[in-house]
Amino acid sequence: MPVPQLTEAERGEALAALPEWTLRPDGLAIEREFKFRNFSEAWGFMARVALLAEKQDHHPEWSNVYNRVSITLTTHDAGGLSERDVKLARAIDKLVA
């Protein structure tokens, strides 16, 4: 079953609830950069995100350079942003709250 892409109104509502995330210029993904004290903290965060992603069966596009982790969330099955991305973003935010 295809995953529905969020409408423009749904995207706006989701981003209002996720103030640290930004909409990618093409409107098909949300992005956030996290900064930690050191590489070990960044790596530990990535391990926790990986466990969340596996549990939700929804995996981020990400990169890590020393103490920074950049995450992009999009749903390829939807061709853009979906509720799956919003749900994972909320779970990731709870890790750093």
Side-chain angles (χ1 to χ4, degrees):
M1 174 181 256
V3 178
Q5 192 177 128
L6 295 180
T7 65
E8 189 173 335
E10 290 168 331
R11 274 197 318 255
E13 188 176 311
L15 283 170
L18 297 166
E20 301 296 324
W21 294 82
T22 57
L23 187 63
R24 198 168 66 188
D26 64 9
L28 300 177
I30 53 176
E31 303 172 316
R32 181 171 176 191
E33 184 169 288
F34 298 85
K35 188 173 181 182
F36 301 92
R37 288 186 297 180
N38 53 46
F39 179 75
S40 181
E41 281 188 13
W43 189 263
F45 168 74
M46 290 179 73
R48 291 189 304 278
V49 171
L51 293 172
L52 287 173
E54 275 300 299
K55 187 175 182 180
Q56 293 185 21
D57 192 28
H58 189 56
H59 304 91
E61 298 174 11
W62 59 3
S63 66
N64 165 244
V65 177
Y66 180 56
N67 66 337
R68 281 179 273 206
V69 177
S70 298
I71 298 179
T72 299
L73 299 175
T74 190
T75 303
H76 298 285
D77 292 343
L81 197 59
S82 79
E83 183 57 37
R84 296 177 80 188
D85 303 304
V86 174
K87 181 181 176 186
L88 185 54
R90 283 192 302 258
I92 291 169
D93 282 354
K94 287 180 182 176
L95 292 176
V96 294

